[in-house]
Every structure is written in structure tokens, then in C-alpha cells.
Amino acid sequence: ATLASNEAFKSGARDLVWLRLALASGVVDLYATVDEEGAMTGGEVRLRTAPMRLDEARRAEVEGAVGVPLSNVSFEVLPRLSSACDLYSLGVLGVRALLVDGSTSLAVALDETLSLARELGSGEHSGSLEERVGLALASDPRWLESLGPQRLVSEEMDAAEAFAFVPERLWWGVLAALVRMFPGVGPDSVCRDLGDAPPAQHTALDASLSDFEDLVRRSRSLVMVDWTRNRELHGVIRSFRTGLVGST
């Protein structure tokens, strides 16, 4: 079937569309998926209904409606939710942990992060995602005011002071990893929508897990940048671990 509506229609590839047809014998409920490549023109949506059981009389009536324009058909999009919802939730937790301090709220930080994701998908900047994050933040100082590394500490400082402790490229990677976690916000999102997940649904989290493992490796040297003291610290830890072996 082809659905044409004056209402904005937004559906993911795995969502269901619930249609209610008013036929002579009464209302018939049909459930369909969207054929994204089947629409012939803009403003239309091509649908393919799922198999269902009907009695012979109702089946003949539905088949008789094939090719007949029907008006006043009510419909509703039923999203198929998957592990992409978990990815979104983890993204919110990431924003809460990394971008919220005493001078900003989670709602504001999340809104700014989603705005950045849309900005990065606008095509105004080129290069890798990290490079585009850096270009976007350099193009408008308001991004750094809300999403700069100064959000990591409780004491007051501006972004320029915070970058003395956190390398710029590392921070671009942090924001890039967060942006990718929000489904359907832009072309960089790991998932296209909240129902977009592979058959093995836990693998929808693999890309973000890889992103943060890479960030952990890149940030290790920030804990102790003096390598001599780093070796001393390692020796102290090793001595304590040796003393604990076999203890009860």
C-alpha cells in the first residue's frame, strides 16, 4: 500500500505502522513495515503489511480494497525498541559524568551535546569525526563554554586553562565518542534509530566500547606524566602486590 498524509511521517526501518481501515463489515487493523525505496514521490510512504489470519469474508473484503483509494485511514507508528535504547542511556550517563558540573545541568549539557551532533552532520566541516569536532568548537566559542574540559573539575576555570591539563585532541575524541552514542542524530551515530540493532543486539555497544577503550589508552599518561615518578609509583604498587600474594 501507499500512504499519503499531511502529517509528518517519521519511521525507522524496523518500526511497525498500525493502520485502521474502515470497511463495510467494520474496522480492520493491519500492521506494516516501511519499504524505504518503494515510494514513487515525496510525501508518500510505501508499506508492506505483515501476514495475518482473516476469515474468508473479511479476506475477500480486504482484497477487494486493493487499488482503491481510501480516505480517513488512521495510523500510528509503533517503534521497535532495541539495544540502541541502552546505547542512548549510556550516552546520557556519559554526558552526566563528563559534562555536568555545579554551573550547568544535565538537561542543558545533553541539549548542547545533541546540538553538536547535528552540527557535525550538517556537512559544514570535513575530515574525521575528531577533526570535525575540533573545527566546530573552534568556529564558535560558545561550544567550548558549554562542552569544554573545564566541566571535569569542580574549581572554576575556563576552557583555555583546562586544556593545559587535557590535550585538545583527546577532548575532541571524548566528544566524538559521546556524539556517536545517540541514535539517529546524525550520520555519525552508531545506530540510525532506537530500533536499529544487529541480530546479536549486544554488538550495538561494541563501537562505543572500542571508542572508550581507545580513550583510556590515550589518557593513561595524563595520570603521571613524569615517567621517572611513574616507574617509582609502579615499583611501590608492585611491592604491595607482592606482599599480598598468598595472604588471608
Side-chain angles (χ1 to χ4, degrees):
T2 297
L3 176 65
S5 173
N6 293 327
E7 299 180 20
F9 187 95
K10 185 176 181 181
S11 172
R14 302 190 181 192
D15 293 345
L16 287 177
V17 181
W18 173 24
L19 302 164
R20 305 207 79 184
L21 308 183
L23 302 178
S25 61
V27 174
V28 176
D29 292 328
L30 300 177
Y31 297 90
T33 56
V34 176
D35 180 359
E36 296 181 326
E37 300 179 355
M40 300 298 293
T41 184
E44 292 184 351
V45 180
R46 184 63 59 87
L47 303 174
R48 182 173 296 277
T49 57
M52 62 181 299
R53 294 183 180 275
L54 297 171
D55 58 54
E56 288 300 322
R58 184 58 63 89
R59 176 179 176 179
E61 191 174 18
V62 171
E63 290 179 346
V66 173
V68 177
L70 301 175
S71 59
N72 298 321
V73 175
S74 62
F75 67 91
E76 181 179 351
V77 178
L78 306 176
R80 287 187 179 181
L81 304 182
S82 70
S83 53
C85 295
D86 300 321
L87 190 60
Y88 178 93
S89 299
L90 289 171
V92 174
L93 290 174
V95 171
R96 175 66 182 85
L98 299 169
L99 298 174
V100 176
D101 59 12
S103 61
T104 189
S105 66
L106 175 59
V108 171
L110 180 59
D111 182 64
E112 296 288 353
T113 304
L114 296 176
S115 295
L116 177 62
R118 289 187 284 268
E119 169 77 10
L120 297 173
S122 66
E124 294 186 9
H125 308 290
S126 59
S128 67
L129 180 55
E130 281 192 18
E131 292 170 342
R132 283 183 280 134
V133 170
L135 291 172
L137 269 62
S139 66
D140 190 336
R142 292 177 298 177
W143 289 120
L144 281 177
E145 291 178 8
S146 57
L147 302 178
Q150 71 275 14
R151 301 298 180 187
L152 293 172
V153 296
S154 57
E155 60 186 280
E156 290 189 11
M157 66 172 63
D158 58 26
E161 293 176 299
F163 278 128
F165 305 97
V166 179
E168 288 188 354
R169 189 74 185 217
L170 179 63
W171 190 247
W172 306 156
V174 169
L175 296 180
L178 290 176
V179 162
R180 280 163 49 83
M181 298 179 77
F182 295 102
V185 181
D188 300 298
S189 299
V190 173
C191 299
R192 292 180 298 172
D193 52 59
L194 293 175
D196 181 28
Q201 293 207 12
H202 66 281
T203 60
L205 310 180
D206 287 352
S208 294
L209 181 61
S210 177
D211 287 344
F212 282 98
E213 286 178 342
D214 178 62
L215 290 169
V216 168
R217 286 193 295 269
R218 292 164 58 184
S219 61
R220 282 174 181 168
S221 62
L222 298 178
V223 177
M224 184 74 74
V225 295
D226 186 326
W227 290 106
T228 300
R229 293 185 179 181
N230 202 2
R231 286 193 293 270
E232 293 175 358
L233 180 62
H234 178 72
V236 172
I237 294 174
R238 184 171 54 190
S239 67
F240 275 100
R241 290 184 61 188
T242 302
L244 291 173
V245 172
S247 61
T248 58

Coordinates of all heavy atoms in Angstrom, one line a residue, residues 194-226:
L194 N 16.2 4.2 17.4 CA 16.2 3.4 18.6 C 15.8 1.9 18.4 O 15.9 1.1 19.3 CB 15.1 4.0 19.6 CG 15.5 5.4 20.1 CD1 14.3 6.0 21.0 CD2 16.8 5.4 21.0
G195 N 15.4 1.6 17.2 CA 15.2 0.2 16.9 C 16.2 -0.4 16.0 O 16.1 -1.6 15.6
D196 N 17.3 0.3 15.7 CA 18.3 -0.2 14.8 C 19.4 -0.9 15.6 O 20.2 -0.3 16.3 CB 18.9 1.0 14.1 CG 20.0 0.6 13.1 OD1 20.0 -0.6 12.6 OD2 20.9 1.4 12.8
A197 N 19.4 -2.2 15.5 CA 20.4 -3.0 16.2 C 20.7 -4.3 15.3 O 19.7 -4.8 14.7 CB 20.0 -3.4 17.6
P198 N 21.8 -4.8 15.4 CA 22.1 -6.1 14.6 C 21.4 -7.2 15.3 O 20.9 -7.1 16.5 CB 23.6 -6.2 14.7 CG 24.0 -5.4 15.9 CD 23.0 -4.3 16.0
P199 N 21.3 -8.4 14.6 CA 20.7 -9.6 15.3 C 21.2 -9.9 16.6 O 20.5 -10.2 17.6 CB 20.9 -10.7 14.2 CG 21.0 -10.0 12.9 CD 21.7 -8.7 13.3
A200 N 22.5 -9.9 16.8 CA 23.1 -10.0 18.1 C 23.1 -8.6 18.7 O 24.1 -7.8 18.6 CB 24.6 -10.6 18.0
Q201 N 22.1 -8.3 19.5 CA 21.8 -6.9 19.9 C 22.9 -6.3 20.7 O 23.1 -5.1 20.7 CB 20.5 -6.8 20.6 CG 19.3 -7.1 19.7 CD 18.0 -6.5 20.1 OE1 18.0 -5.6 20.9 NE2 16.9 -6.9 19.5
H202 N 23.6 -7.1 21.5 CA 24.6 -6.6 22.4 C 25.8 -5.9 21.6 O 26.5 -5.1 22.0 CB 25.2 -7.6 23.3 CG 25.9 -8.7 22.6 ND1 25.3 -9.8 22.0 CD2 27.3 -8.9 22.4 CE1 26.2 -10.6 21.4 NE2 27.4 -10.1 21.7
T203 N 25.9 -6.4 20.3 CA 27.0 -5.8 19.5 C 26.8 -4.4 19.1 O 27.7 -3.7 18.6 CB 27.2 -6.7 18.2 OG1 26.0 -6.7 17.4 CG2 27.6 -8.1 18.6
A204 N 25.6 -3.8 19.3 CA 25.3 -2.4 19.1 C 26.2 -1.5 20.0 O 26.4 -0.4 19.7 CB 23.9 -2.1 19.3
L205 N 26.7 -2.1 21.1 CA 27.5 -1.4 22.0 C 29.0 -1.5 21.7 O 29.8 -0.8 22.3 CB 27.3 -1.9 23.4 CG 25.8 -2.0 23.9 CD1 25.7 -2.5 25.3 CD2 25.1 -0.6 23.8
D206 N 29.4 -2.3 20.8 CA 30.8 -2.6 20.5 C 31.6 -1.4 20.0 O 32.7 -1.2 20.5 CB 30.9 -3.7 19.5 CG 30.6 -5.1 20.0 OD1 30.4 -5.2 21.3 OD2 30.5 -6.1 19.3
A207 N 30.9 -0.6 19.2 CA 31.7 0.6 18.6 C 32.0 1.6 19.7 O 33.1 2.1 19.8 CB 30.8 1.3 17.5
S208 N 31.1 1.8 20.6 CA 31.3 2.8 21.7 C 32.3 2.2 22.7 O 33.1 2.9 23.3 CB 30.0 3.1 22.4 OG 29.1 3.8 21.6
L209 N 32.2 0.9 23.0 CA 33.2 0.2 23.8 C 34.6 0.4 23.3 O 35.5 0.7 24.0 CB 32.9 -1.3 24.0 CG 33.8 -2.1 24.9 CD1 33.7 -1.6 26.3 CD2 33.4 -3.6 24.9
S210 N 34.7 0.2 22.0 CA 36.1 0.4 21.3 C 36.5 1.9 21.4 O 37.7 2.2 21.7 CB 36.0 0.0 19.9 OG 37.2 0.2 19.2
D211 N 35.6 2.8 21.3 CA 35.9 4.3 21.4 C 36.5 4.6 22.7 O 37.5 5.3 22.8 CB 34.7 5.1 21.1 CG 34.3 5.1 19.7 OD1 35.1 4.8 18.8 OD2 33.1 5.5 19.4
F212 N 35.8 4.1 23.8 CA 36.3 4.5 25.1 C 37.5 3.7 25.6 O 38.3 4.2 26.4 CB 35.1 4.3 26.1 CG 34.2 5.4 26.1 CD1 33.0 5.3 25.4 CD2 34.4 6.6 26.7 CE1 32.1 6.4 25.3 CE2 33.6 7.7 26.7 CZ 32.4 7.6 25.9
E213 N 37.7 2.5 25.1 CA 38.9 1.8 25.3 C 40.1 2.5 24.7 O 41.2 2.6 25.3 CB 38.9 0.4 24.8 CG 38.0 -0.6 25.6 CD 37.9 -2.0 24.9 OE1 38.2 -2.1 23.7 OE2 37.5 -2.9 25.6
D214 N 39.9 3.1 23.5 CA 41.0 3.9 22.9 C 41.3 5.1 23.7 O 42.4 5.5 23.9 CB 40.5 4.2 21.5 CG 41.6 5.1 20.8 OD1 42.7 4.6 20.6 OD2 41.2 6.3 20.4
L215 N 40.2 5.8 24.2 CA 40.4 7.0 25.0 C 41.1 6.7 26.3 O 42.0 7.5 26.8 CB 39.1 7.6 25.3 CG 38.4 8.3 24.1 CD1 36.9 8.7 24.5 CD2 39.1 9.5 23.6
V216 N 40.8 5.5 26.9 CA 41.5 5.2 28.1 C 43.0 5.0 27.9 O 43.9 5.4 28.6 CB 40.9 3.9 28.7 CG1 41.8 3.3 29.8 CG2 39.5 4.1 29.3
R217 N 43.4 4.3 26.8 CA 44.8 4.1 26.4 C 45.5 5.4 26.2 O 46.6 5.7 26.6 CB 44.9 3.2 25.2 CG 44.6 1.8 25.4 CD 45.0 0.9 24.2 NE 44.2 1.3 23.0 CZ 43.1 0.7 22.7 NH1 42.7 -0.3 23.4 NH2 42.5 1.0 21.6
R218 N 44.8 6.3 25.5 CA 45.4 7.6 25.2 C 45.5 8.6 26.4 O 46.4 9.5 26.4 CB 44.6 8.3 24.1 CG 44.6 7.6 22.8 CD 43.5 8.1 21.8 NE 43.6 9.5 21.6 CZ 42.6 10.2 20.9 NH1 41.6 9.5 20.3 NH2 42.7 11.5 20.7
S219 N 44.7 8.3 27.4 CA 44.8 9.2 28.6 C 45.6 8.7 29.7 O 45.7 9.3 30.8 CB 43.3 9.5 29.1 OG 42.7 8.3 29.5
R220 N 46.2 7.5 29.6 CA 46.9 6.9 30.7 C 48.1 7.8 31.2 O 48.4 7.9 32.3 CB 47.4 5.5 30.3 CG 46.4 4.4 30.4 CD 46.9 3.1 29.9 NE 45.9 2.1 29.9 CZ 45.9 0.9 29.3 NH1 47.0 0.6 28.6 NH2 45.0 0.0 29.4
S221 N 48.8 8.3 30.2 CA 50.0 9.1 30.6 C 49.6 10.4 31.3 O 50.5 11.0 31.9 CB 50.8 9.5 29.3 OG 50.0 10.3 28.4
L222 N 48.4 10.8 31.3 CA 48.0 12.0 32.0 C 47.9 11.8 33.5 O 48.0 12.8 34.3 CB 46.6 12.5 31.5 CG 46.5 12.9 30.1 CD1 45.0 13.3 29.7 CD2 47.4 14.0 29.7
V223 N 47.8 10.6 33.9 CA 47.8 10.3 35.4 C 49.1 10.6 36.0 O 49.2 11.2 37.1 CB 47.4 8.8 35.6 CG1 47.5 8.5 37.1 CG2 46.1 8.5 35.0
M224 N 50.2 10.3 35.4 CA 51.5 10.6 35.9 C 52.4 10.9 34.7 O 53.0 9.9 34.1 CB 52.1 9.5 36.7 CG 53.4 9.7 37.4 SD 53.3 10.9 38.8 CE 52.6 9.8 40.0
V225 N 52.6 12.1 34.3 CA 53.3 12.5 33.1 C 54.8 12.4 33.2 O 55.6 12.4 32.3 CB 52.9 13.9 32.5 CG1 51.5 13.9 32.1 CG2 53.2 14.9 33.6
D226 N 55.3 12.4 34.5 CA 56.7 12.3 34.8 C 57.0 10.8 34.8 O 56.7 10.1 35.7 CB 57.1 12.9 36.1 CG 58.6 12.9 36.4 OD1 59.3 12.0 36.0 OD2 59.0 13.9 37.0

